[in-house]
Amino acid sequence: MTQQQPFKVLIVDDDKSMRHSLIELLEAAGWRVSAVSRATQVAEYLTDATPDVVLSDVRMPGMSGLELLASLDKQIAPPVVIISAHGDIPMAVQAIQDGAYGFIEKPYEPRRLLTVLTHAAEQSRMRKSNARLKDRLLKLSGLDRILLGRTDTIKALRQEVLDLADTSVAVLLQGDTGTGKELVAHALHDLGGSPDAPFLALNCAALSTDTFGAEMFGVAGASHGRLVAASGGTLFLDEICSCPLVVQAKLLRVIEDQQVLPVGAVSPLPVSFRVVSATNEDVVQAAEEGRLRQDLLFRLNTVVLTLPPLRQRRDDLVLLATHFLNEYAQVYEIDAPELNQDDLAALLAHDWPGNVRELRHVCERRILAARRGGGSVAQAIQSDQHFDDVPDTLREAVAAFERELIGKAIKAHKGRMDAAAEALGIGRRTLNEKIVKLGLDKETLL
């Protein structure tokens, strides 16, 4: 897994014979190659794929290579190498000024082309690696910031993650919703030997038996599958117990054989990745009920890590709440409110069914209330429980909203109906009709 993955290039050229020539050259050199015939197709391609470098022709219908270059966000887009048979010095200068990594003239010299593309790809990967590192350093100062807490269970979990990070064993993460299973999966990946390799997270409950093959394995001659793109990195299978049985069988074959067969292909493609799975269910019970294949479970549970629910970490509540309050205070540019005795009592009295995720949302609501000069932790917690009173239909919800809004307007204007109607932006007659329709009692409101 520490071996460097092949460089990836996107070729943009409307000349079919030139595209095929470039594809043959680069694939023979060990590159992973994709190609499109129009520059207008690049933006959509980059939303789903991340090539190390783009090799683009200049003169193409619709959008030229120079226009493509100008349209890309230089902060996040891969470097662009321009290639053209019509190139001259002014065009080359313009391309470099616009941010192109290099300029190659046709007919190209293969060795020079490969050298320029390789340097561009290496620079691209270094830039991405540095950006990820800076981002991690800004957000974290170690695993203790990812798995924040001082209780013995969290300390033990941090140590297990550190011990397992440099291995390639399959890890099954168990824990209630909101306990941070995906955070742990990312930590295992980021702290391992290949932090810059792909991290592919699949919500198994959302996988379709109809499209799984084409999406994950790819289609011969058309597209690379997501599993091929993730090769060399980590495959995170979330909600594994909710995975369709047909898909479970296919995943098992991939994990066992370390290869995939694209739709329509005759030869499989090798893949390798570390498998981390997660569930909030009892996997043994799921296997006994036939919802989880036992042979797949045996492939996934080499090591099992259990994430404790927040109700079992009450000693960490104040630490976590303080951390999240400070975090959101910076986001919303205010001073974090101090936790008082009532706040602490509310934190400790709540059962936290949504675990750390719920606590994070509560702290954000507390900060939003503080921006308006009020609020408390108890009120922020109570906001989560208001959803039980939401009407079942849109019609009922609209009626409830109108009832509340009209009632407030009548109270605010002390029963003066003309003033209330004007404040609501409706006519007096419309207001009267709504009062009757909604069953409002003016005298009760006042």
Side-chain angles (χ1 to χ4, degrees):
M1 291 177 58
T2 58
Q3 184 178 1
Q4 178 174 291
Q5 294 298 299
F7 288 128
K8 294 178 288 185
V9 60
L10 172 64
I11 296 171
V12 188
D13 200 315
D14 62 318
D15 187 326
K16 185 176 181 180
S17 61
M18 178 57 68
R19 283 202 312 275
H20 288 172
S21 172
L22 291 168
I23 290 172
E24 289 179 1
L25 170 67
L26 289 162
E27 287 185 339
W31 285 63
R32 185 172 292 167
V33 185
S34 299
V36 294
S37 59
R38 294 289 187 273
T40 51
Q41 298 172 287
V42 172
E44 182 178 358
Y45 178 89
L46 292 180
T47 61
D48 299 319
T50 54
D52 297 305
V53 60
V54 175
L55 177 62
S56 176
D57 190 16
V58 172
R59 301 182 188 275
M60 292 178 288
M63 175 186 282
S64 71
L66 295 181
E67 290 171 335
L68 168 64
L69 180 65
S71 71
L72 296 176
D73 185 344
K74 304 303 188 296
Q75 298 299 317
I76 59 175
V80 177
V81 174
I82 296 293
I83 182 170
S84 176
H86 311 283
D88 54 16
I89 297 301
M91 182 182 291
V93 171
Q94 183 64 48
I96 299 301
Q97 288 178 343
D98 287 348
Y101 181 86
F103 187 97
I104 303 291
E105 288 188 340
K106 300 177 185 176
Y108 60 85
E109 202 278 311
R111 184 175 299 177
R112 169 168 163 71
L113 176 64
L114 288 171
T115 298
V116 173
L117 289 177
T118 299
H119 288 167
E122 289 174 342
Q123 184 183 81
S124 176
R125 288 197 176 180
M126 181 64 70
R127 185 183 67 184
K128 292 176 184 176
S129 179
N130 288 339
R132 280 190 291 266
L133 178 60
K134 288 179 181 178
D135 188 53
R136 284 201 292 266
L137 290 175
L138 283 173
K139 295 179 180 178
L140 312 169
S141 62
L143 188 58
D144 57 331
R145 293 292 297 277
I146 302 173
L147 297 173
L148 189 64
R150 298 171 182 166
T151 54
D152 291 340
T153 53
I154 287 298
K155 290 179 180 178
L157 180 61
R158 283 200 294 262
Q159 189 57 54
E160 287 182 294
V161 170
L162 287 171
D163 292 342
L164 292 169
D166 282 332
T167 73
S168 58
V169 297
V171 178
L172 173 63
L173 304 173
Q174 291 186 302
D176 293 349
T177 298
T179 50
K181 295 185 290 294
E182 187 164 354
L183 276 178
V184 174
H186 273 287
L188 288 167
H189 176 81
D190 289 344
L191 297 172
S194 303
D196 294 329
F199 180 94
L200 175 61
L202 299 181
N203 181 352
C204 294
L207 295 178
S208 167
T209 56
D210 296 329
T211 61
F212 182 83
E215 183 182 358
M216 297 298 157
F217 300 161
V219 179
S223 64
H224 293 299
R226 296 178 69 186
L227 291 179
V228 175
S231 184
T234 298
L235 175 63
F236 176 51
L237 303 174
D238 197 11
E239 297 188 51
I240 187 62
C241 291
S242 299
C243 187
L245 288 172
V246 173
V247 173
Q248 289 185 35
K250 295 179 179 180
L251 286 171
L252 175 63
R253 178 63 60 87
V254 171
I255 294 170
E256 287 182 336
D257 297 345
Q258 294 286 286
Q259 61 183 18
V260 299
L261 182 65
V263 177
V266 294
S267 300
L269 298 175
V271 292
S272 65
F273 30 65
R274 197 238 188 101
V275 180
V276 179
S277 53
T279 181
N280 59 4
E281 296 189 51
D282 184 330
V283 291
V284 175
Q285 181 179 345
E288 291 175 349
E289 294 174 354
R291 294 183 293 111
L292 177 63
R293 292 177 60 117
Q294 283 196 339
D295 47 4
L296 177 59
L297 174 59
F298 294 150
R299 287 288 184 178
L300 301 178
N301 67 350
T302 305
V303 175
V304 178
L305 297 182
T306 300
L307 279 66
L310 194 52
R311 62 181 177 273
Q312 295 178 6
R313 303 173 51 196
R314 294 195 178 275
D315 289 345
D316 285 335
L317 272 170
V318 176
L319 175 67
L320 288 165
T322 302
H323 171 73
F324 293 144
L325 287 171
N326 289 330
E327 184 179 271
Y328 284 115
Q330 292 182 1
V331 171
Y332 294 108
E333 298 180 339
I334 68 169
D335 292 330
E338 294 287 339
L339 291 172
N340 57 36
Q341 290 300 319
D342 290 339
D343 292 330
L344 297 179
L347 286 171
L348 294 173
H350 191 54
D351 284 338
W352 301 106
N355 294 292
V356 177
R357 183 185 297 138
E358 180 188 4
L359 176 59
R360 178 183 284 275
H361 292 165
V362 165
C363 290
E364 183 173 17
R365 285 196 294 273
R366 175 67 186 93
I367 292 298
L368 289 172
R371 293 179 73 194
R372 301 189 296 269
S376 68
V377 169
Q379 291 172 342
I381 293 174
Q382 192 67 27
S383 296
D384 262 352
Q385 300 167 9
H386 288 167
F387 289 104
D388 293 338
D389 301 327
V390 174
D392 294 330
T393 67
L394 180 61
R395 185 187 300 275
E396 291 172 348
V398 171
F401 178 71
E402 287 187 331
R403 194 176 291 111
E404 181 180 0
L405 201 61
I406 291 172
K408 286 182 177 179
I410 293 174
K411 287 181 182 179
H413 294 281
K414 300 179 180 179
R416 297 193 302 275
M417 302 304 287
D418 288 333
E422 183 179 355
L424 292 167
I426 58 177
R428 170 68 183 269
R429 180 178 176 181
T430 301
L431 176 59
N432 289 337
E433 290 174 350
K434 285 187 176 292
I435 288 174
V436 173
K437 181 179 179 181
L438 297 170
L440 289 169
D441 185 345
K442 176 182 173 183
E443 300 303 324
T444 301
L445 292 173
L446 297 172

